[in-house]
Amino acid sequence: MLVDKILSDGFAIYEHEDAEVVECSALVNLPVLVKIMRLGFVKAVFAFCVLLFVLPAFAQTPAAAKPIDQLKQKLEQISSGVSADWGIYIKSLDSGEEIAINADKTMDTMSTIKIPLMVDVYRQVDAGKINTADRFVMKTADKRFGTGVLQNLDPGLSLTVRDALELMIIQSDNSGTDMAFARAGGPAHVTQTMRELGLNSITATGTSFDWFLALAAAGDPAYAKFGPEELFTKGFPDKLTDADVERFHFEGKHPYGLSNARDMGKLLELIATNKAASEKSCKEMLRMMGQQQMRTRIPRFLSDDVDTPHKTGDFPPYIANDIGFIDTPNARVVVVFFSAHHRGYYSELEDAIGRMSEQVWAYFNYRPAAK
């Protein structure tokens, strides 16, 4: 008995001495097939038939990936298509399903640190230490560069604490942020509050003024001696180059704030479950987040009827952060997207967050509600 030939489609043809031809499927490999042939024609056919029935019973079928793991793979695929470092945390507050991608890596929060600041203020409101209806007068020394409208308004404007908080969240107003820091007791008090909540990676590293002063000094060290009013009046130094700004970011010596994605997600969960502060205060914080005007990331590809209370953080083109919630009829989902060291078009970074958010919404919107 000889193997006559091996066909390209994986079948072996062998010929018996009395010219009978048997075609054998390649369910068994060739060495096994040859050994079977040596048994003699009748025994070989019998053995081969046994193998045809027995082998499938022992075949290893790969376990299908869980749906939540498939979602994780999609998020990894989208994020890997952008030249940036990522920290991502997703959690359904209904089913408990969770995704963590580099979620324990401490990263620069940029303006998402304003959520911990807001929590600290409202905990002090609950304790009777701060009244959000209290008024104060804005001075030139209160004005900050970057996002927000207050820097463009005249000194002497009367504001409430709630006004400053509202603008800090919905416009990421840096002037309002430092007004809130001043009334909360400064960055150190915010950090201590986060430790009391068990969120050990969340650190308020400084005020908006501290960050802008460090950036200005990266271009001209003489600026390091400036106070708030002098810095705002004089503006950034002409010597500050794009290379200085890039080095400022990549050296990472002056983060606006620090957290890992998991701890920031836990803080959002505490707000959603009325555990970060009183129920009244938590609802007020969620209301503010729901008024967010920066809608180029989490809500980017979602329809207008999808609620996405959230807070952004920016340092173009290197950092585009967004944290908050995606609400569906079946679930409220915590979403945290941190990024850093991005090179390329800023819109690609924002698009990636938008596409990942779209995948999260689709997964939880079309799956059965948790029981």
Side-chain angles (χ1 to χ4, degrees), residues 246-267:
E246 182 172 297
R247 184 170 58 255
F248 179 85
H249 169 62
F250 278 88
E251 286 180 349
K253 294 179 180 179
H254 301 283
Y256 193 86
L258 291 171
S259 180
N260 62 42
R262 190 187 303 274
D263 275 357
M264 196 62 81
K266 288 180 179 179
L267 180 60

Side-chain angles (χ1 to χ4, degrees), residues 112-121 190 194 202 264 267:
T112 63
I113 197 67
K114 295 169 185 178
I115 295 298
L117 171 54
M118 177 177 64
V119 168
D120 186 25
V121 169
V190 175
M194 294 302 103
I202 300 181
M264 196 62 81
L267 180 60

Side-chain angles (χ1 to χ4, degrees), residues 15 78 194:
E15 185 178 9
I78 294 170
M194 294 302 103

Side-chain angles (χ1 to χ4, degrees), residues 285-333:
M285 287 188 276
L286 285 171
R287 184 198 64 77
M288 286 187 183
M289 293 174 68
Q291 300 300 310
Q292 176 60 241
Q293 295 179 3
M294 315 296 186
R295 299 182 57 81
T296 55
R297 291 168 209 167
I298 289 175
R300 189 176 185 89
F301 300 112
L302 301 179
S303 61
D304 291 339
D305 61 348
V306 177
D307 290 331
T308 55
H310 66 113
K311 177 71 191 78
T312 57
D314 303 71
F315 187 11
Y318 314 110
I319 297 175
N321 294 341
D322 207 354
I323 68 171
F325 305 91
I326 296 176
D327 291 339
T328 78
N330 293 332
R332 164 164 275 183
V333 186

Side-chain angles (χ1 to χ4, degrees), residues 139-205:
K139 304 181 294 294
T140 300
D142 295 321
K143 295 185 178 184
R144 302 292 182 264
F145 303 130
T147 50
V149 68
L150 288 175
Q151 62 179 312
N152 300 310
L153 303 182
D154 291 334
L157 178 68
S158 176
L159 297 162
T160 65
V161 174
R162 193 198 67 79
D163 291 336
L165 291 170
E166 186 94 19
L167 290 171
M168 177 183 79
I169 296 301
I170 71 173
Q171 288 191 341
S172 203
D173 194 297
N174 292 319
S175 304
T177 298
D178 280 8
M179 294 170 186
F181 265 129
R183 283 144 188 85
H189 196 281
V190 175
T191 299
Q192 179 58 37
T193 297
M194 294 302 103
R195 298 298 177 269
E196 292 171 2
L197 292 172
L199 305 171
N200 294 325
S201 75
I202 300 181
T203 302
T205 55

